[in-house]
Amino acid sequence: MKTRRPGLLCLGLLLSSPAFPAAQAAEEMRLAAGKSIVIDYAVDVGRISTSNADIVDAVAVSTREVLLHAKAPGTSTVIIWPKQGTRSVYSIVVEQDLEPARRLLKETFPNENIEVQAARDSLSLVGVVSSPAVAERAAALMAPFAKVVVNNLQVPSAGPEKQVLLKVKFAELNRAAADAFGVNLISTGAANTIGSTTTGQFSPPRPAELRGAIGAGTFGATSEFSIADALNVFAFRPDLNLAAFIRALESKQLLQILAEPNLVATNGKDASFLVGGEFPLPVVQGGANVGAVTIMFKEFGIRLTFKPEITGHDTIRMYVKPEVSTIDLANSVTIAGFTIPALSTRRMETFVELGNGQTFVIAGLIDDRVTETLSRIPGLSHIPILGELFKSRMENRTKTELIVMVTPEITEPVNTADVKPLGRLKEPLPNALLAPSGMAPAEAPGNRKGKK
């Protein structure tokens, strides 16, 4: 049998007696941080107490007025004892003032449904927005208002994202001109002398056979030359025993090379294109493998890199970087037995904004080169007027211009329910290709005729 202690029984009787009334219900109040409120009393206030002065500060401004000032977000209890009557208990919840944050979000995103909620030192963003970029920008905008910003914004699932088809045309206009002038003179017996003069730039005739005798007369003697290259102007005077071979040429070339790559990229994503090759490049190692040579490959050819972005006005803002590079052996470098070619590169880089289907052109990338080769015979080439016969000159002029035409178009992926586009042949296939194996062309399904 259990017994109760007399002391505990007496304490229970005292707590249940009218001298100890039940806990008084607190009146709830909500204040914004930084705001104040004045409580008026009909009688004089005797005493004031607050559970957390860092959150709510209570001050008696007069005998019957109490000022409550919300200092920081949180919860505090304020008790006021009047000199006459019962005491008052207030449970005060201090919230952060969200009106400036709401106003800023509304002005920045007028068409978005964004709500702000506060919890202690953090802010929570709730609602539905149109894109992930808007959600990220809204969270960044609220960062100065709280230590922690919780982004609970939802983005509805969108359909297939738009894509950009980029049509590019590379046109290289190559103008090449060459001038050549040179003279080779041959004497088959003029002034009782057989010989020839040449600058060596163009192939001269060579004596095929020479015969002579000491004290022999010149009358009736013959000379013979083998003509390897008659150049393009040839003249021979038998009565003077003189022959002349002249190279006088002027040539021009016009060459146009086209490359038309087409690229498709998702909105906001990078895409690249390369048509060309790679050439080996020796690299000397260091460290523990010092002196060892490894091979690295370097790309060259026609390259295109671009990043499209579709704006809200259905225009296309994009970064474009086309490049054309070729191997230049004329400027190659030889190191330790390795011949490393140079690269002749033309590169451009730009940001443009175009409408759907518009075209912009990049031109003016001109490579102008002139190569001149001059050969002459010393002494004879300095004779006035006649000295030009003892000189030869060749000049090559190359002028190349690169033109790039870029046309972007907005496209959308095909949905599952959409009708798929089918390719069409410009010309029908031969009957032999349409006939299945083991079947004559006349029996092919496409060639069968209905019976009458």
Side-chain angles (χ1 to χ4, degrees):
M1 181 177 180
K2 296 183 180 179
T3 59
R4 296 182 179 179
R5 295 181 182 179
L8 293 177
L9 179 60
C10 294
L11 180 59
L13 293 175
L14 289 174
L15 291 175
S16 61
S17 64
F20 294 90
Q24 184 178 353
E27 182 181 351
E28 293 186 359
M29 298 179 61
R30 290 183 177 272
L31 295 176
K35 303 294 183 180
S36 300
I37 188 174
V38 177
I39 301 176
D40 295 326
Y41 275 83
V43 295
D44 294 340
V45 176
R47 192 170 40 169
I48 305 172
S49 176
T50 176
S51 63
N52 194 337
D54 293 334
I55 296 177
V56 177
D57 189 12
V59 180
V61 295
S62 67
T63 57
R64 297 189 177 187
E65 293 179 336
V66 178
L67 174 65
L68 300 180
H69 178 65
K71 300 172 65 176
T75 303
S76 179
T77 302
V78 177
I79 304 175
I80 302 175
W81 288 270
K83 291 183 178 180
Q84 297 177 359
T86 60
R87 64 181 178 271
S88 301
V89 181
Y90 300 95
S91 178
I92 303 175
V93 178
V94 180
E95 299 175 344
Q96 186 174 353
D97 187 9
L98 301 179
E99 189 58 30
R102 291 191 179 101
R103 188 184 308 113
L104 181 59
L105 288 173
K106 190 63 177 178
E107 293 175 354
T108 308
F109 308 102
N111 300 324
E112 304 292 343
N113 181 19
I114 303 176
E115 294 293 336
V116 185
Q117 298 177 356
R120 196 67 180 175
D121 295 335
S122 64
L123 289 180
S124 178
L125 298 178
V126 295
V128 180
V129 294
S130 58
S131 65
V134 174
E136 294 178 1
R137 290 173 55 196
L141 202 63
M142 293 294 102
F145 291 90
K147 295 181 180 179
V148 179
V149 177
V150 181
N151 192 348
N152 290 325
L153 295 173
Q154 298 180 359
V155 181
S157 58
E161 192 171 357
K162 293 183 178 180
Q163 299 179 351
V164 177
L165 170 63
L166 192 68
K167 299 179 179 179
V168 184
K169 294 183 179 180
F170 290 86
E172 186 178 19
L173 193 60
N174 188 355
R175 300 183 181 92
D179 293 336
F181 179 78
V183 177
N184 290 333
L185 297 178
I186 301 296
S187 172
T188 58
N192 297 328
T193 304
I194 299 174
S196 65
T197 60
T198 177
T199 58
Q201 187 172 3
F202 308 111
S203 299
R206 301 294 182 185
E209 185 178 358
L210 289 178
R211 295 178 182 180
I214 298 176
T218 59
F219 182 79
T222 61
S223 60
E224 181 179 351
F225 284 81
S226 297
I227 301 176
D229 185 0
L231 303 184
N232 62 324
V233 178
F234 169 68
F236 176 59
R237 288 286 301 271
D239 56 335
L240 298 179
N241 290 326
L242 282 177
F245 299 82
I246 302 175
R247 168 68 63 86
L249 290 178
E250 181 179 353
S251 62
K252 295 183 179 180
Q253 299 177 2
L254 182 64
L255 178 62
Q256 191 172 11
I257 303 174
L258 293 177
E260 299 184 9
N262 294 336
L263 282 179
V264 178
T266 305
N267 183 24
K269 304 298 181 180
D270 294 330
S272 61
F273 172 89
L274 174 64
V275 173
E278 297 180 348
F279 65 91
L281 187 66
V283 178
V284 180
Q285 300 295 313
N289 299 324
V290 60
V293 178
T294 59
I295 300 299
M296 180 182 67
F297 287 87
K298 189 173 180 61
E299 297 176 344
F300 70 95
I302 299 176
R303 180 194 299 274
L304 174 65
T305 303
F306 85 106
K307 181 179 181 180
E309 180 181 353
I310 302 176
T311 66
H313 306 287
D314 286 335
T315 59
I316 305 172
R317 183 185 299 115
M318 60 182 176
Y319 161 77
V320 184
K321 184 180 179 182
E323 176 183 330
V324 176
S325 58
T326 56
I327 294 179
D328 186 5
L329 295 176
N331 296 316
S332 61
V333 179
T334 302
I335 300 177
F338 295 98
T339 300
I340 304 173
L343 282 180
S344 177
T345 305
R346 279 168 290 179
R347 181 188 301 116
M348 60 213 78
E349 186 175 355
T350 182
F351 283 89
V352 294
E353 183 171 349
L354 298 174
N356 186 20
Q358 292 183 341
T359 303
F360 79 96
V361 180
I362 303 174
L365 299 176
I366 299 176
D367 183 8
D368 195 355
R369 302 184 184 186
V370 178
T371 304
E372 184 176 5
T373 303
L374 179 64
S375 300
R376 58 188 179 182
I377 299 176
L380 298 178
S381 61
H382 297 285
I383 300 175
I385 301 176
L386 295 178
E388 296 297 326
L389 299 177
F390 303 98
K391 297 178 183 179
S392 64
R393 178 180 58 85
M394 177 176 289
E395 180 179 304
N396 290 324
R397 294 186 299 273
T398 304
K399 187 175 184 180
T400 305
E401 181 178 2
L402 181 65
I403 301 174
V404 182
M405 293 173 285
V406 181
T407 305
E409 294 182 1
I410 300 176
T411 61
E412 294 185 2
V414 179
N415 296 322
T416 306
D418 295 341
V419 179
K420 305 300 186 296
L422 299 177
R424 297 178 179 270
L425 296 176
K426 295 182 178 179
E427 297 181 359
L429 293 175
N431 294 335
L433 297 179
L434 294 176
S437 177
M439 182 182 297
E443 299 177 358
N447 295 333
R448 294 177 180 173
K449 296 182 180 180
K451 297 182 179 179
K452 294 183 180 180

